[in-house]
Amino acid sequence: MRCRLLAAVIAAATALVPVATSATGSRPTYHADQTRSGIANEPPATTETAFWTSGTLDGSVYAEPLYNNGEVIVATQNNSIYGITASSGAIAWGPVHLGAPRTTGFPCGNINPLGITSTPIIDTVTNTLYAVADIQTSASAWHYDLAAITLTPHAVAWQHNVSPTDPDWLDQVQQQRGALNVSQGNIIISWGGLAGDCGLYHGWVEAVPVNGTVPGGGYPFYETDSAAGQREGGIWATGGPAVDPATGSVFVSAGNGSVTSSGAYDYSDSVTSLNGATLARQSFFAPSTWRTDNAADADLGSVSPALVANNEVFIVGKSGVGYLLNRSSLGGIGGQIASQRICPDTNGAAFGAIAYEAPIAYVACTAGITAVQVGATSLQVMWRTNSGAAGPPIISGGLIWASGNGSG
């Protein structure tokens, strides 16, 4: 499949701020910053017009386009990276190609070819982009590479296989959807399963040094559950891990697991805090209803955690119930500070990522964007749109921006 891009869509989707100190106007990561706030420091918007359409790219675009030094950076499912001149839409460079995308051996799934799905991240100090690509090496062999691509000149500096080295890992049934983040000198990568939830997949998080060093014992990783026969608990939300810039702690949400009626807790249907260097689990939260959530596919894994004021975390997932958590100690099972139904019962799920500008969080409920006042000990729904645009929102120019899921 081939794809064209509208600048108006790019402007709405990539209103970001730098990962590190950089030139004014850089938008180098998903949803604004390490915390995934979705706030863009843009002037007020009064009109919206289509500005340009790019030339044809070599594959579908699932990753959010980024912006750096006057160029829109786009990644495709053909494992290619392009630079597009922001003022004209002309393709300035690319494709920088990372290898053959996966096209065979899918036991389930909905993307073919499967290449770069997650949103890359740009280090604006070193002018380096990092992207994860699904690489096919034969008709029955695949793995995931992390590539560091210098943006001046446009070339691959290094590219390493980063599929976790663990007996539980199965390349065939894992998928890398969550946006990349950075913490304590590491690129943070997360994985879930293919659409359809087939096979013995798990949720994974991995930390890979930004300088490309390959540790002797392999890269540190976190797995949602390693008990024999257990599966699922994918870490797949579009926004990917959120990072607390003060502590380096990494926060991820996990999907439903296979434990429903009996068996030990498997860290599914959860928010987990990880050490940004070692990925050791620091604390976790799961609703007291985690078993029935698992059984009903009504878990927290569909939305990335939002880091909010008062050293807290806000999360809402497929059940439509929001939870306010203590960032320093997430509370364990049933240990929330507050909970409140956020999305309506008739169409209750939320997906993607939350935009947050204190004290209001904007949630992508399937019924419409929903504004939630986040207090120190409370959550209160303020309003909800019914526009049909229910994609992950951002805050830009005094407005809330969202696109329609599927239709664009």
Side-chain angles (χ1 to χ4, degrees):
M1 180 182 294
R2 296 185 181 274
C3 181
R4 292 179 179 269
L5 302 173
L6 289 177
V9 174
I10 292 171
T14 63
L16 309 175
V17 296
V19 170
T21 303
S22 65
T24 301
S26 294
R27 295 165 173 84
T29 188
Y30 181 92
H31 231 56
D33 48 38
Q34 288 173 285
T35 70
R36 308 306 195 201
S37 71
I39 300 174
N41 296 315
E42 301 290 342
T46 56
T47 60
E48 179 189 359
T49 58
F51 186 37
W52 47 253
T53 301
S54 77
T56 301
L57 309 180
D58 69 3
S60 299
V61 177
Y62 280 63
E64 183 177 89
L66 303 175
Y67 177 78
N68 186 60
N69 291 333
E71 293 178 340
V72 177
I73 311 298
V74 181
T76 78
Q77 291 289 355
N78 195 44
N79 283 335
S80 295
I81 309 290
Y82 289 85
I84 299 173
T85 302
S87 60
S88 67
I91 295 176
W93 53 267
V96 174
H97 191 58
L98 302 182
R102 181 177 173 184
T103 57
T104 62
F106 294 97
C108 63
N110 63 348
I111 303 173
N112 187 358
L114 183 60
I116 301 171
T117 304
S118 70
T119 300
I121 193 167
I122 299 172
D123 183 335
T124 53
V125 174
T126 63
N127 214 29
T128 303
L129 177 140
Y130 298 88
V132 171
D134 194 347
I135 304 291
Q136 180 153 359
T137 56
S138 73
S140 59
W142 316 269
H143 66 264
Y144 283 93
D145 278 5
L146 175 67
I149 300 162
T150 59
L151 297 179
T152 308
H154 314 108
V156 176
W158 53 262
Q159 182 170 338
H160 299 321
N161 181 344
V162 293
S163 290
T165 54
D166 185 89
D168 288 341
W169 175 266
L170 297 172
D171 280 302
Q172 189 176 22
V173 296
Q174 300 285 162
Q175 187 173 27
Q176 205 280 302
R177 308 188 210 180
L180 306 187
N181 213 328
V182 63
S183 177
Q184 300 189 45
N186 295 311
I187 301 298
I188 307 299
I189 309 168
S190 58
W191 281 273
L194 297 166
D197 290 350
C198 53
L200 291 173
Y201 77 89
H202 296 116
W204 299 80
V205 185
E206 191 172 46
V208 179
V210 296
N211 62 10
T213 301
V214 181
Y219 303 111
F221 65 82
Y222 165 77
E223 182 185 2
T224 49
D225 182 40
S226 57
Q230 304 296 357
R231 56 187 290 272
E232 303 182 309
I235 299 172
W236 61 273
T238 303
V243 172
D244 185 336
T247 65
S249 293
V250 176
F251 294 83
V252 295
S253 59
N256 57 291
S258 55
V259 178
T260 56
S261 58
S262 63
Y265 178 64
D266 56 0
Y267 296 97
S268 62
D269 187 24
S270 63
V271 176
T272 300
S273 169
L274 306 170
N275 180 285
T278 66
L279 296 186
R281 185 189 300 116
Q282 298 174 145
S283 65
F284 78 95
F285 164 79
S288 58
T289 55
W290 68 271
R291 289 182 184 276
T292 54
D293 288 350
N294 281 350
D297 190 20
D299 53 85
L300 296 175
S302 60
V303 177
S304 298
L307 306 189
V308 297
N310 302 306
N311 194 43
E312 292 175 340
V313 177
F314 174 53
I315 186 72
V316 54
K318 285 184 279 185
S319 73
V321 175
Y323 298 91
L324 187 62
L325 314 173
N326 183 322
R327 198 183 305 183
S328 299
S329 181
L330 292 171
I333 296 174
Q336 68 268 19
I337 296 170
S339 60
Q340 177 67 45
R341 173 155 292 283
I342 304 301
C343 305
D345 291 314
T346 55
N347 198 6
F351 289 90
I354 295 165
Y356 174 73
E357 186 172 33
I360 309 301
Y362 301 93
V363 179
C365 296
T366 51
I369 300 299
T370 301
V372 181
Q373 182 164 301
V374 181
T377 60
S378 63
L379 300 169
Q380 180 181 353
V381 174
M382 298 178 64
W383 52 257
R384 179 177 293 110
T385 70
N386 58 2
S387 67
I394 64 165
I395 304 165
S396 179
L399 300 172
I400 310 302
W401 297 74
S403 61
N405 289 330
S407 68

